[in-house]
Amino acid sequence: MQVSIEDKSTVKKVIHIEISEKQVSKELNDAYKELKKTVDIKGFRKGKAPRKVLEARFSKDVHADITPRLIQNAFVDVVEEHKLDLAGAPRIEPPELVPGQAYAFDAEVEVRPEIEDVDFKGLDLKKTMYEVSEDEIDSQIQMVRKSLATKETVTEERPVAKDDFVLIDYQGFVDGQPFDKTPLVENYVMAIGGTVMHEEFSAKLTGALPGQKLEIEIAYGEDATDKELAGHTITYKVELKEIQEEVLPPEDDTLAEKLGEFENLEAVKAVIRDNLEQGYAQRIKHELSEQVFSALLEKNEFEVPDVLVDAELEGIVKEAKDAYTQNNVNLEDVGLGEDFLRTQYRHVAEKQAKRHLLLAKIIEQESLELTEEELEKGFEEMAVGMKATADAVKNFFNMQKDQLQYFKHNLLEKKAADIIIESGNITEITPEEAQAAQDAEAAKAVEAAAAAQEAVGEDAAGEDTEAVTETPADDTTA
Amino acid sequence: MIKDYDIIRRPLNTEKTTLQKELFNQVSFEVDRQANRMEIKDAVERIFNTKVQTVRTIQMKGKVKRRGKVLGKRRDWKKAIVRLMPGQRIDFFEGV
């Protein structure tokens, strides 16, 4: 077997392999021998058909059978011999096999880039010290109150005011005749200033007294959202029956009772504070790891194999798809075709791929390993996330060993990220400072974008600068 | 030419014919029952562009097949064993 490897780039290689004629014929002989035993040909007893007859009839099948085997064996040998760290599957276009000739083919492979030892110690990191303020807790409490609000009829005689609710009957008429698309609706509770009904309703009803009868004329334009009403001028006869007020439950221990499972208001607040704190803790960690990776990626430049980027991209697209299908929205319908997503998120995918490669390198460099306890903890965390027991999670992974491998690697990546952060040079800053820094950065980005747009300017009309700014939910390493 | 293909119905390719080919340079065909040796010789020479030494023919009796009570008989046919001149050969596997 003759092998030569050609470097296209640091991550792309083309392997030329030539399998000797001897090896090819040996494979062929074996295959025909095997075939002869089993095949049934008219005029011949089983196992008695001559090679020539077999060749005439089955050469295509035999070759199709043998080629991948030859390629596979040769390729695996080459990979082992040259210690290639493959990323993804090779691209091979197998030529026809000609008996009596050596078999030569090219394999295009991508390898993981060789990353030099990463110096991750002493990175300058800024840690934003977010703190949960009383205000935030209070606003959460207000939201809870709002969600538990009840509507009560207003007994005093007063006109309808903003934020009231009204109980009305209404029916729409066109040219004095009942209109069948707007039948009589009774006892409808409507929010003044709400968006469900036409805004004219809110405007006209404000200031009305209970028991009052009104006529509200609305001319729907041709472009009205409700196609059945579009283009009609409808006169609604409305009777205001009652005014209702939203009453928020008082902010005391009874509120806790209403929520169930809480003893008093303090307990509710404690839980809210806990949640907020957790959220901030995650945010701090996320921000730190973002900083770590942008710093590391700047320091260590390397190429990423396309296959890895594609794999990341696949994940991103799938995630987006799932998120949208959950809301019963088809991606194409909102103008986000798969191709569009692919081009938009390519740089994100590339960054993620780089991040994985870097982490893998660091894991290797520091020879990190998972202890039993850490694995156990990982299972538990996962169990909490999936609302299952740790044992169930463990069982799942015991059944699926390759998933376990993946999971372990994931935990290792987390560990590596933690180590980097720990060994970094952390400066603590207040949220205000962080905000200021962010603003400065954003201003810079805007400037850069403007400059870029100017540069593209005349011919392209800057169509592409309108990039999607949101990033997809980050992967697990963050 | 149409007549030639009417005479030579199909080549026979069996264990026995393989042996005959290897040992005696003979090839076998199913041929028209009315055809005589001379006609067969000419037809083979023209179709396969070869030289024929001798032709031997046999009237083959169709097998008697039974299906329950019913007796049936396959058609009779004529087999021709054609001996080619030394050095001549025919490859006719593709038509099988």
Side-chain angles (χ1 to χ4, degrees):
Chain A
M1 191 168 66
Q2 284 190 340
V3 181
S4 62
I5 300 179
E6 189 185 329
D7 290 353
K8 290 270 177 202
S9 72
T10 52
V11 292
K12 234 187 213 154
K13 300 194 189 306
V14 177
I15 311 177
H16 305 283
I17 301 179
E18 193 179 304
I19 302 168
S20 68
E21 187 255 314
K22 225 164 135 192
Q23 208 170 347
V24 174
S25 11
K26 187 178 164 282
E27 281 290 330
L28 276 174
N29 286 343
D30 289 353
Y32 279 121
K33 230 183 236 167
E34 209 43 49
L35 183 70
K36 192 173 180 175
K37 278 186 205 157
T38 54
V39 80
D40 227 341
I41 296 184
K42 237 184 170 175
F44 298 92
R45 287 167 292 163
K46 225 180 202 173
K48 300 286 182 187
R51 166 87 178 256
K52 271 212 164 136
V53 176
L54 294 177
E55 274 176 15
R57 220 177 269 201
F58 297 106
S59 68
K60 253 197 193 137
D61 297 340
V62 171
H63 291 180
D65 197 34
I66 279 185
T67 331
R69 208 160 59 210
L70 277 174
I71 291 174
Q72 171 110 22
N73 290 343
F75 186 74
V76 170
D77 282 354
V78 170
V79 169
E80 260 172 32
E81 198 178 313
H82 294 261
K83 301 222 167 29
L84 295 173
D85 194 1
L86 290 187
R91 273 239 316 270
I92 300 174
E93 275 165 27
E96 286 277 320
L97 181 83
V98 185
Q101 276 181 25
Y103 185 64
F105 64 92
D106 292 347
E108 218 181 289
V109 296
E110 290 193 281
V111 294
R112 283 168 196 282
E114 276 185 33
I115 303 172
E116 283 170 35
D117 277 5
V118 182
D119 177 25
F120 58 83
K121 297 208 168 93
L123 288 176
D124 285 325
L125 302 175
K126 293 204 175 80
K127 185 171 181 183
T128 317
M129 303 308 289
Y130 293 106
E131 272 203 56
V132 180
S133 65
E134 286 304 315
D135 281 356
E136 279 172 291
I137 296 176
D138 197 50
S139 74
Q140 292 268 334
I141 291 274
Q142 294 315 324
M143 254 145 77
V144 171
R145 283 179 69 197
K146 200 129 205 193
S147 70
L148 290 175
T150 50
K151 297 195 182 77
E152 277 174 27
T153 307
V154 177
T155 42
E156 57 171 327
E157 282 269 314
R158 68 166 176 84
V160 176
K162 200 167 164 280
D163 296 333
D164 276 345
F165 288 80
V166 288
L167 185 70
I168 53 173
D169 294 346
Y170 70 91
Q171 186 177 13
F173 294 85
V174 172
D175 302 331
Q177 297 299 314
F179 186 47
D180 57 355
K181 297 288 187 273
T182 54
L184 181 65
V185 176
E186 284 181 326
N187 296 333
Y188 180 78
V189 178
M190 176 198 145
I192 296 293
T195 51
V196 183
M197 301 291 279
H198 199 279
E199 54 200 20
E200 197 73 1
F201 272 81
S202 296
K204 284 272 164 63
L205 280 167
T206 310
L209 289 167
Q212 200 176 341
K213 287 184 181 166
L214 305 165
E215 280 193 9
I216 300 174
E217 198 177 283
I218 298 173
Y220 289 97
E222 290 296 342
D223 53 349
T225 28
D226 194 339
K227 288 278 166 293
E228 286 178 335
L229 302 180
H232 290 289
T233 300
I234 297 169
T235 311
Y236 289 98
K237 291 196 174 156
V238 184
E239 185 181 351
L240 175 59
K241 293 164 95 174
E242 254 177 27
I243 302 176
Q244 297 182 346
E245 236 174 6
E246 202 172 45
V247 179
L248 300 182
E251 190 179 333
D252 54 21
D253 291 353
T254 53
L255 179 68
E257 240 166 71
K258 277 202 183 106
L259 286 169
E261 65 191 280
F262 292 107
E263 257 175 42
N264 51 34
L265 193 61
E266 280 315 306
V268 179
K269 279 190 178 168
V271 169
I272 291 174
R273 174 182 285 275
D274 231 37
N275 277 339
L276 285 171
E277 266 168 8
Q278 267 177 27
Y280 277 138
Q282 260 176 21
R283 187 161 156 195
I284 289 170
K285 210 167 168 191
H286 182 80
E287 281 181 2
L288 280 175
S289 68
E290 278 300 314
Q291 287 176 37
V292 164
F293 285 108
S294 33
L296 283 182
L297 288 178
E298 234 167 73
K299 269 167 102 177
N300 300 275
E301 275 200 16
F302 54 88
E303 286 178 288
V304 202
D306 282 342
V307 269
L308 293 185
V309 179
D310 285 340
E312 293 291 339
L313 208 50
E314 209 53 52
I316 292 174
V317 170
K318 189 165 171 289
E319 211 168 284
K321 250 189 184 164
D322 286 353
Y324 277 99
T325 13
Q326 258 174 16
N327 299 327
N328 281 329
V329 183
N330 195 332
L331 268 180
E332 267 81 24
D333 293 348
V334 282
L336 296 171
E338 246 179 67
D339 291 340
F340 177 78
L341 284 177
R342 266 171 221 281
T343 40
Q344 283 299 352
Y345 286 121
R346 185 146 189 105
H347 66 283
V348 179
E350 202 175 311
K351 225 163 135 189
Q352 274 180 22
K354 276 188 178 171
R355 171 185 298 207
H356 284 305
L357 286 170
L358 262 183
L359 281 172
K361 174 69 198 172
I362 290 168
I363 290 170
E364 187 200 310
Q365 188 181 322
E366 299 293 301
S367 41
L368 294 180
E369 261 173 54
L370 278 184
T371 58
E372 277 300 310
E373 296 100 69
E374 279 168 328
L375 188 61
E376 208 70 25
K377 211 173 136 226
F379 282 143
E380 267 160 38
E381 268 169 28
M382 181 138 194
V384 172
M386 291 188 351
K387 294 201 170 69
T389 62
D391 281 337
V393 175
K394 228 188 286 180
N395 270 335
F396 170 78
F397 280 120
N398 275 334
M399 306 245 278
Q400 313 221 355
K401 291 286 179 203
D402 47 335
Q403 288 279 346
L404 180 64
Q405 211 54 38
Y406 185 70
F407 181 66
K408 273 186 180 165
H409 186 74
N410 234 325
L411 287 179
L412 272 176
E413 282 189 348
K414 268 187 203 164
K415 195 170 164 184
D418 285 347
I419 286 178
I420 302 171
I421 292 172
E422 268 168 35
S423 56
N425 229 342
I426 298 178
T427 349
E428 295 186 353
I429 56 174
T430 62
E432 288 78 32
E433 282 165 352
Q435 189 61 42
Q438 218 172 40
D439 286 348
E441 203 129 296
K444 237 191 262 169
V446 167
E447 252 169 58
Q453 187 149 12
E454 228 159 80
V456 179
E458 293 87 44
D459 43 49
E463 262 171 69
D464 293 327
T465 42
E466 228 176 87
V468 172
T469 42
E470 82 227 55
T471 43
D474 218 294
D475 65 340
T476 40
T477 48
Chain B
M1 281 302 270
I2 287 168
K3 212 180 152 235
D4 289 341
Y5 283 104
D6 285 339
I7 291 170
I8 310 295
R9 286 263 169 75
R10 64 183 178 108
L12 299 176
N13 194 5
T14 65
E15 274 183 62
K16 188 174 185 175
T17 63
T18 316
L19 262 183
Q20 288 174 328
K21 194 159 105 188
E22 280 164 14
L23 297 178
F24 313 117
N25 203 18
Q26 289 172 331
V27 286
S28 304
F29 299 94
E30 182 187 335
V31 295
D32 190 282
R33 292 195 69 194
Q34 316 307 324
N36 65 33
R37 289 178 176 182
M38 288 311 291
E39 286 167 342
I40 293 166
K41 180 178 172 178
D42 288 349
V44 171
E45 283 188 344
R46 274 200 294 269
I47 291 175
F48 298 103
N49 202 14
T50 50
K51 287 267 168 264
V52 172
Q53 200 172 48
T54 54
V55 177
R56 292 188 176 175
T57 55
I58 315 147
Q59 288 286 355
M60 300 295 288
K61 300 289 176 208
K63 287 178 183 173
V64 177
K65 292 276 170 180
R66 214 163 79 153
R67 205 180 153 75
K69 271 187 183 171
V70 190
L71 274 180
K73 188 170 170 296
R74 289 196 178 164
R75 66 187 169 81
D76 296 341
W77 54 287
K78 185 182 242 181
K79 176 156 94 177
I81 301 172
V82 177
R83 184 169 201 157
L84 301 175
M85 287 288 198
Q88 299 281 321
R89 48 186 233 111
I90 296 174
D91 288 317
F92 48 52
F93 293 110
E94 77 277 20
V96 184

